[in-house]
Amino acid sequence: MSRVGRHPIALPEKVSVVIDGQEVTVKGPLGSLSRKIESKYVTARIDDGHVFVERSSEIKEAKAAHGLYRQLIANMISGVVTPFSKTLVVSGVGYRAAVQGNKLVLNIGYSHPVEMPLPEGIKAEAKESDDKDKKALLVVVSGIDKEAVGQFAASVKAKRPVEPYHGYGIHYSDEVVIRKEGKTSGKK
């Protein structure tokens, strides 16, 4: 069996799961999420306060889908209780970020500000870091859908990839930025 797929998912209080054929709907205190199980080999059922994801075959595609859909449903259940968040660090001379209405506005070295509309259910916050040694600007993206949070954070990061010599650009707070050494004089 799939090591991830065989584990049951416990339902916390205030969370309800409705399974209608291949459609799984999760409702909790922070909102509601729905996902269709696209695999013909995987089904889900509720039993005794737990959600079980089962597969009907032992072929490779069924095993992969088993673990995938179990984790997707687990992320939906945990997202309606506690929101997911990604923290991005914006570093560079004159770089700024602000949330204006339903848009994230980035001044990241281009001739114009980059405006990114926030998707449905996604919140963004721009703030200064608490670290006194390094002054950096942080953008915190949060929401109940882990996939949407990760996708929006990745699209923000893609607007200005980190430059390896000075470290200017946008990167995740837990990402290690590998810096390159600059040119040397050539004298030995």
Side-chain angles (χ1 to χ4, degrees):
M1 284 192 83
S2 167
R3 290 180 185 167
V4 173
R6 69 176 174 224
H7 298 295
I9 308 163
L11 290 176
E13 291 182 26
K14 302 178 187 171
V15 174
S16 66
V17 176
V18 177
I19 299 172
D20 183 23
Q22 293 291 80
E23 187 77 26
V24 179
T25 305
V26 179
K27 291 182 183 170
L30 297 180
S32 174
L33 293 172
S34 184
R35 177 176 295 275
K36 185 172 190 230
I37 298 176
E38 299 288 339
S39 175
K40 60 185 175 185
Y41 304 111
V42 177
T43 58
R45 68 178 170 85
I46 302 171
D47 188 27
D48 194 31
H50 290 77
V51 176
F52 294 91
V53 179
E54 298 163 339
R55 69 173 182 252
S56 61
S57 176
E58 292 298 316
I59 63 173
K60 187 176 182 179
E61 291 82 13
K63 290 178 181 180
H66 187 209
L68 170 73
Y69 283 106
R70 185 262 176 215
Q71 194 58 46
L72 290 174
I73 294 170
N75 287 341
M76 290 166 56
I77 290 171
S78 102
V80 296
V81 176
T82 1
F84 293 102
S85 69
K86 286 260 190 193
T87 304
L88 298 154
V89 178
V90 180
S91 61
V93 177
Y95 286 12
R96 291 182 182 28
V99 178
Q100 297 174 353
N102 198 24
K103 288 188 286 190
L104 176 65
V105 180
L106 301 167
N107 291 320
I108 48 177
Y110 295 122
S111 62
H112 58 283
V114 177
E115 295 182 352
M116 301 182 71
L118 295 173
E120 181 89 23
I122 299 294
K123 295 181 185 115
E125 177 188 3
K127 61 183 182 179
E128 293 286 329
S129 71
D130 297 333
D131 191 8
K132 294 182 177 163
D133 297 334
K134 289 184 175 181
K135 274 194 93 173
L137 183 63
L138 303 178
V139 175
V140 180
V141 179
S142 62
I144 63 173
D145 187 358
K146 187 174 186 177
E147 184 178 355
V149 168
Q151 182 60 50
F152 185 71
S155 64
V156 170
K157 182 181 176 219
K159 295 297 179 185
R160 180 62 89 173
V162 175
E163 182 266 332
Y165 294 100
H166 295 106
Y168 297 157
I170 302 173
H171 61 90
Y172 297 119
S173 62
D174 57 352
E175 179 180 2
V176 176
V177 177
I178 297 175
R179 302 282 295 270
K180 290 184 179 178
E181 186 177 333
K183 290 183 180 179
T184 57
S185 66
K187 295 180 182 178
K188 292 190 180 199

